[in-house]
Amino acid sequence: MASGIKDKVAILGMGCSKFGERWDVSPDDLMVEAYIEALDDAGIEPNQLDAAWFSHHIDDIGAGKGGTPMSIALRLPNISVTRVENYCASGSEAFRGAVYAVAAGAADIAIALGMEKLKDTGYGGLPATNYGTFGPQIGPSGSAPGNFAQLASAYRAKHGVSAEDMKRAIAHVSVKSHANGAKNPKAHLQKEVTEEQVLNAPMIAEPLGLFDCCGVSDGAAAAIVTTPEIAKSLGKDNLISVKALQLSVSNGLESHHNTWDGSYFHTVRIAAKKAYAEAGITNPREEVSMMEVHDCFSVTELVTMEDLFISEEGQAVKDVMDGFYDADGQVPCQIDGGLKCFGHPIGASGLRMLYEMYLQLQGRADKRQLKNPSIGLTHNLGGQPANNVCSVAIIGSL
Amino acid sequence: MTEVGISSIVGYIPKLRLLRKSVAESNAWLAPNLMGKGKGTRSMANWDEDSVTMSVEAARRLLGPEDDRSHVDNLFLASTTMPFADRLNSGIVRAALTLEETTQCTDISSTLKCGTTALINAISSVQSAKSSYSLVLAADKRKSRVGSSQELDFGDASAAIAVSNKDIIARVIATSSISVDFVDHFRGPNEEFDYNWEERWIRDEGYLKIIPKLINNLLEENDINASEISKFILPCIFPRVPQTISKICGIDPENVVDNLALNVGDTGSTHPLLMLTNVLENSNPNEKILVCSFGGGGDAILLETTDLIKNLKNDESVANLLDNGVEETNYMKYLTFNDLVKWEKGMRGEIDRKTALTTLYRHNDAIIGLVGGKCEKTGTIQFPASRISVSPNSPDIDTQEPYKLAEKKANILSWSADYLSFSVNPPNYYGIVSFKEGGRIMMDFTDVGEGEIESGKDVKMVFRVKAIDEARGFTRYFWKAVPI
């Protein structure tokens, strides 16, 4: 059995651009912004980088295909740049590549950078795209909110939750994230909202209203990783190491086989179990200090609380309403505002989640700083409930 | 000679009925003369229905839910509004119905009498023993200019008729046709709308001269007395013209049947067959029924009901379809559905809908026929079929047999009503539909009324337009779910 990634790789430095409607900057500028911060944080020179991973989802309105956009924007020293794309989990995928390269000894120091420039689309929300030549001939010409909204109908049917109770619980999820985002100067949305505002917002895809949907943003985030030994040799202390990196990908069971009931994420449960095992966590509700989950929509966050085994099955509505995941709750979730308010530049999001966990673990999260966190979990999901890619990463103090 | 006749017949009328008053009032400033036509309703196809999809729907109602449809020897599709000028439209219908590839498919078009012409062709085919079961389908969804009388007169519908040499409910006594190049209206090859000549001329020189000649030819050639005819079917938008013709020909004017104008409108090439459906659904044995059509001349078909007519009990008879329509008062919706106004589709509507024809062909059974796969080892049913089974504990390779899903029972697992993505008829309803025997599909819903959708609710499959590639003139079809 594989020995796992636990404590084999440390984070040397991280950077994250301001997320939002960055009308005045280019994809290159976003990459540079995250890169410079990460490089400064790591305290290294560009020529110390051995390899790079670049996550970017929608190339036709972003930087284009391949590894060259990152190499050119950052003037990297002709090192390998591997472009990865795995839906909205692309950022975590880039991180995985860099971490594994270091763990394998193929690179001493590697960088993962994710970037997305969504606000060149011309309209709000994610761009409408085709997905191969067969899919569009049978699949609905839907949207991300329409796909994720279906969780609510299936969850309600399974657990006997009324439409009103569900709507109120997911509203609480968004109210909490807005309160957190208001304390984050890099967040796209920095304004608190009330439950009434959320409940009365225009409908996007039933039952998701405008405030149930995350920000669609421009942004970039980066992580520089190395071995704990090299990090120490570079004078680093207070090291944050990777405890677990797991990725689970749908194989069609949810979308083609009648055993899945539509109310949860099959892949999340698999990735979470593997990640806890890899990190040596046996009681996640007690041991995980904080989380950044893929709250593309409020209902996604709600059901994810159960899929990560923090809330018991059928109890997420109660835990959410009890404030269990609020900033002052037992397991604060989306302390940086989450996708909801920090924003969701797709290729950057997985790295942005790690950025917040990294800052929190190092005690550098300013107004958002939690008290003595030791384990941070990121959950980064791509695709849609019936067909997706799920990354669960755990980092913590070494 | 073997007796040949109709063995089954059924109609399909789209659910929506546009209130003519709403049309007439909206256009009164422009066309005050049409206010008098603002009575009743006309049938209005959903945006995702066309002549092919309506034909498929009528045919499914005729053929029933059985998988085995190998008894269909040939298929005649009649329409003046074929979606494709050069792609076998009846071939799309055949594939959707999962009929055998050896089913002879023929498109019949270019005149409003093509519905009856298709019926005559089917009759000839069975009479000549080339077929023992021929399927006749007629459908029309005609466009009309805003503010025109056609907008109020027309309706959308389809009909399906089985012509056979057994189980006959109405035997064929005789058929007759004449061809006259009388151009009451025409539609050029690249035109959306008809160009119409003066109605009085059409009535006096067209209907009142051509149809009596046609009927008299048929009666004289077959030595039949007009007084024997108990029901006379002639689609005609001009009031009292069928009665006048009946008098000219010696048919009792009381035997002129209702033309469904008040609720449905004139459904083009379908109309004589739709009227015939309604007549046969309300007939007794031994009734002589004369069906006529007008267009480039005319067709006449004389039928006589048999004792088996009592067995004709359609689940959705024309009377039921008339009763179960949903009134649509929003004229703008009609205009939008039919692309008669330049409406704002938004940037999301700009997505390229180019269809990879290679992909369509590779997956033709799945896309057009809704055929999935059933693992012969585990019995797992899935859509689409794949070389490796989706069965979680038994990923068997190359074990799947074709499995038809279109007629299988299904219900809703999950759904949403999406106001963000592009839809001609927002909100865009879609979700996962699970088939009770196995298999599921994330698919569009259609014909959804307010509050009609919920997890667990039963649905039926319908063959509909998936998308229209306006840049290339290609219509993409797939199946959708309708809550029932």
Side-chain angles (χ1 to χ4, degrees):
Chain A
M1 186 176 167
S3 60
I5 201 72
K6 186 178 180 182
D7 293 336
K8 291 177 179 168
V9 177
I11 299 175
L12 192 60
M14 290 199 78
C16 184
S17 75
K18 164 86 173 69
F19 281 14
E21 293 172 329
R22 302 290 306 272
W23 309 116
D24 58 337
V25 301
S26 67
D28 286 11
D29 297 334
L30 290 168
M31 285 192 263
V32 170
E33 204 173 312
Y35 173 65
I36 289 173
E37 184 187 344
L39 215 53
D40 286 349
D41 186 38
I44 60 166
E45 295 299 319
N47 61 11
Q48 290 177 269
L49 294 169
D50 293 320
W53 272 260
F54 174 45
S55 53
H56 189 45
H57 176 53
I58 303 174
D59 47 43
D60 51 353
I61 56 158
K65 295 185 190 300
T68 49
M70 176 175 170
S71 189
I72 291 169
L74 307 183
R75 306 296 178 196
L76 295 176
N78 298 112
I79 57 174
S80 66
V81 181
T82 305
R83 186 230 170 162
V84 294
E85 191 288 312
N86 222 347
Y87 293 125
C88 297
S90 299
S92 297
E93 193 68 280
F95 186 70
R96 229 165 60 96
V99 166
Y100 282 4
V102 167
D108 283 340
I109 302 178
I111 181 170
L113 184 144
M115 186 280 298
E116 211 75 45
K117 180 71 185 162
L118 293 174
K119 297 310 296 181
D120 283 344
T121 304
Y123 52 89
L126 296 177
T129 53
N130 278 311
Y131 37 102
T133 60
F134 178 59
Q137 297 198 42
I138 63 168
S141 54
S143 67
N147 286 327
F148 282 87
Q150 294 176 45
L151 286 166
S153 60
Y155 187 97
R156 289 202 298 106
K158 182 180 183 183
H159 296 295
V161 178
S162 71
E164 294 71 26
D165 286 350
M166 174 59 84
K167 184 77 180 165
R168 198 165 289 278
I170 59 178
H172 186 97
V173 167
S174 295
V175 169
K176 170 266 299 166
S177 294
H178 272 269
N180 293 344
K183 294 178 183 168
N184 187 345
K186 286 189 175 179
H188 180 167
L189 306 169
Q190 299 178 33
K191 201 172 170 185
E192 295 193 34
V193 296
T194 65
E195 188 177 290
E196 283 62 41
Q197 280 177 282
V198 178
L199 292 174
N200 296 319
M203 190 60 76
I204 302 296
E206 286 184 18
L208 305 176
L210 182 64
F211 288 107
D212 292 297
C213 307
C214 72
V216 172
S217 327
D218 302 328
I224 297 173
V225 293
T226 187
T227 63
E229 294 73 24
I230 293 172
K232 283 175 194 160
S233 74
L234 291 170
K236 295 285 180 181
D237 53 14
N238 191 17
L239 286 184
I240 307 304
S241 67
V242 178
K243 306 293 183 186
L245 272 185
Q246 290 294 333
L247 193 79
S248 176
V249 180
S250 292
N251 64 9
L253 178 108
E254 303 98 304
S255 52
H256 296 154
H257 196 266
N258 284 15
T259 46
W260 182 65
D261 66 21
S263 73
Y264 66 97
F265 290 91
H266 183 63
T267 54
V268 179
R269 295 184 177 190
I270 292 168
K273 277 182 189 168
K274 288 183 176 176
Y276 292 140
E278 189 172 34
I281 290 171
T282 54
N283 185 349
R285 190 175 170 96
E286 298 297 329
E287 295 177 60
V288 172
S289 313
M290 58 189 172
M291 304 189 292
E292 286 294 325
V293 303
H294 198 89
D295 59 329
C296 48
F297 303 97
S298 54
V299 70
T300 316
E301 180 174 328
L302 185 133
V303 306
T304 298
M305 298 302 98
E306 296 178 15
D307 297 334
L308 290 172
F309 308 104
I310 308 291
S311 289
E312 287 185 20
E313 191 163 342
Q315 295 302 307
V317 169
K318 181 178 181 301
D319 280 348
V320 163
M321 295 308 288
D322 287 348
F324 188 86
Y325 300 105
D326 292 356
D328 58 355
Q330 191 172 326
V331 183
C333 189
Q334 319 306 79
I335 194 65
D336 67 358
L339 300 177
K340 175 74 198 77
C341 292
F342 204 138
H344 185 25
I346 301 172
S349 284
L351 288 156
R352 184 275 302 160
M353 297 172 181
L354 288 161
Y355 176 73
E356 177 68 10
M357 297 292 91
Y358 170 75
L359 293 181
Q360 291 280 351
L361 289 165
Q362 291 204 329
R364 296 161 55 193
D366 200 22
K367 290 179 190 168
R368 309 181 305 281
Q369 184 61 49
L370 300 169
K371 196 176 171 188
N372 300 325
S374 59
I375 290 288
L377 180 148
T378 68
H379 156 269
N380 190 197
L381 190 103
Q384 40 108 336
N387 190 19
N388 60 73
V389 170
C390 173
S391 162
V392 174
I394 298 171
I395 62 173
S397 302
L398 186 66
Chain B
M1 190 170 154
T2 313
E3 189 169 72
V4 171
I6 292 171
S7 59
S8 55
I9 184 167
V10 70
Y12 169 69
I13 304 170
K15 186 174 167 182
L16 295 177
R17 305 298 149 75
L18 180 63
L19 192 68
R20 288 196 180 103
K21 189 177 168 204
S22 63
V23 180
E25 286 181 348
S26 296
N27 292 330
W29 65 276
L30 172 73
N33 54 313
L34 297 181
M35 280 302 286
K37 282 179 176 273
K39 300 182 186 75
T41 61
R42 55 152 292 177
S43 61
M44 166 182 159
N46 203 339
W47 76 270
D48 59 358
E49 295 185 280
D50 66 12
S51 295
V52 160
T53 69
M54 291 194 292
S55 296
V56 170
E57 188 56 30
R60 292 174 67 206
R61 291 172 184 210
L62 186 92
L63 294 169
E66 297 303 316
D67 274 1
D68 184 5
R69 291 168 172 170
S70 59
H71 57 287
V72 180
D73 294 321
N74 51 25
L75 186 167
F76 297 92
L77 174 64
S79 177
T80 69
T81 50
M82 298 280 188
F84 289 91
D86 189 351
R87 175 188 176 186
L88 188 60
N89 296 280
S90 52
I92 307 170
V93 174
R94 181 207 63 75
L97 296 173
T98 62
L99 302 179
E100 305 292 318
E101 282 185 349
T102 51
T103 308
Q104 189 183 61
C105 297
T106 307
D107 290 359
I108 301 180
S109 189
S110 304
T111 169
L112 286 178
K113 79 176 180 74
C114 66
T116 49
T117 304
L119 180 55
I120 290 172
N121 273 269
I123 291 166
S124 300
S125 179
V126 179
Q127 282 175 334
S128 64
K130 288 179 181 165
S131 162
S132 58
Y133 188 103
S134 295
L135 186 56
V136 177
L137 304 173
D140 254 328
K141 180 187 176 186
R142 291 180 291 169
K143 277 191 164 186
S144 47
R145 289 183 197 278
V146 175
S148 66
S149 59
Q150 288 75 32
E151 190 174 41
L152 295 158
D153 290 333
F154 289 177
D156 306 323
S158 63
I161 298 176
V163 177
S164 180
N165 52 18
K166 60 181 181 182
D167 304 326
I168 293 166
I169 59 171
R171 68 182 181 89
V172 177
I173 298 174
T175 69
S176 182
S177 296
I178 55 173
S179 167
V180 182
D181 189 26
F182 179 85
V183 191
D184 60 321
H185 75 279
F186 63 91
R187 196 184 324 137
N190 299 312
E191 297 299 320
E192 286 185 275
F193 309 112
D194 293 351
Y195 189 85
N196 298 279
W197 212 251
E198 186 181 353
E199 290 185 354
R200 292 174 62 80
W201 175 71
I202 298 167
R203 182 192 64 192
D204 296 345
E205 287 295 302
Y207 276 93
L208 293 178
K209 290 190 176 169
I210 294 172
I211 300 296
K213 191 196 292 183
L214 170 74
I215 293 173
N216 289 335
N217 286 350
L218 180 134
L219 296 178
E220 286 168 14
E221 283 172 15
N222 296 281
D223 196 21
I224 290 165
N225 192 323
S227 63
E228 295 175 44
I229 294 166
S230 57
K231 281 166 181 165
F232 174 42
I233 297 168
L234 174 65
C236 180
I237 59 164
F238 306 130
R240 306 297 304 164
V241 167
Q243 284 79 1
T244 306
I245 291 171
S246 67
K247 283 180 201 161
I248 294 169
C249 298
I251 300 167
D252 184 348
E254 292 293 313
N255 293 341
V256 172
V257 304
D258 175 53
N259 65 0
L260 308 173
L262 187 63
N263 300 311
V264 179
D266 176 4
T267 64
S269 63
T270 308
H271 215 55
L273 308 188
L274 187 69
M275 288 171 70
L276 176 62
T277 308
N278 191 33
V279 164
L280 288 177
E281 285 170 341
N282 295 287
S283 288
N284 296 311
N286 306 314
E287 292 196 65
K288 284 197 175 66
I289 298 164
L290 178 62
V291 191
C292 292
S293 62
F294 178 81
D299 289 330
I301 302 159
L302 185 61
L303 303 162
E304 185 176 34
T305 53
T306 70
D307 287 345
L308 295 180
I309 192 70
K310 292 177 284 190
N311 297 343
L312 179 65
K313 290 187 172 55
N314 288 327
D315 289 340
E316 293 186 86
S317 64
V318 172
N320 289 341
L321 292 168
L322 294 179
D323 287 345
N324 296 332
V326 173
E327 195 172 277
E328 178 59 66
T329 59
N330 190 341
Y331 174 49
M332 281 308 297
K333 191 180 270 191
Y334 166 80
L335 296 178
T336 307
F337 279 12
N338 289 280
D339 217 20
L340 292 165
V341 285
K342 290 189 184 298
W343 60 287
E344 178 54 80
K345 296 177 183 177
M347 285 190 188
R348 289 175 194 281
E350 293 172 3
I351 190 169
D352 192 351
R353 295 180 178 82
K354 181 177 180 177
T355 297
L357 302 178
T358 38
T359 305
L360 173 61
Y361 181 61
R362 273 198 300 277
H363 298 279
N364 202 259
D365 285 353
I367 296 169
I368 305 297
L370 203 70
V371 178
K374 182 174 184 177
C375 175
E376 59 187 11
K377 184 176 164 195
T378 63
T380 297
I381 295 163
Q382 65 176 74
F383 182 90
S386 56
R387 286 197 63 194
I388 303 177
S389 171
V390 74
S391 187
N393 302 315
S394 190
D396 303 295
I397 301 172
D398 295 335
T399 55
Q400 291 184 39
E401 293 293 322
Y403 187 83
K404 298 181 182 183
L405 288 164
E407 309 296 344
K408 302 295 189 292
K409 292 187 186 308
N411 60 23
I412 300 168
L413 178 74
S414 62
W415 65 276
S416 182
D418 183 348
Y419 293 83
L420 185 66
S421 57
F422 171 74
S423 171
V424 183
N425 187 20
N428 196 3
Y429 287 98
Y430 52 91
I432 298 177
V433 165
S434 293
F435 292 88
K436 291 182 180 172
E437 291 176 26
R440 59 173 47 171
I441 311 174
M442 172 85 84
M443 67 196 313
D444 291 309
F445 295 97
T446 191
D447 289 357
V448 181
E450 187 80 28
E452 281 186 359
I453 197 159
E454 191 53 271
S455 289
K457 188 155 190 171
D458 287 342
V459 293
K460 66 177 178 182
M461 298 293 112
V462 291
F463 185 71
R464 292 291 172 96
V465 172
K466 179 82 179 70
I468 295 171
D469 178 0
E470 290 172 359
R472 303 172 187 86
F474 188 83
T475 302
R476 186 186 278 176
Y477 296 99
F478 187 55
W479 294 78
K480 299 183 183 180
V482 175
I484 49 175

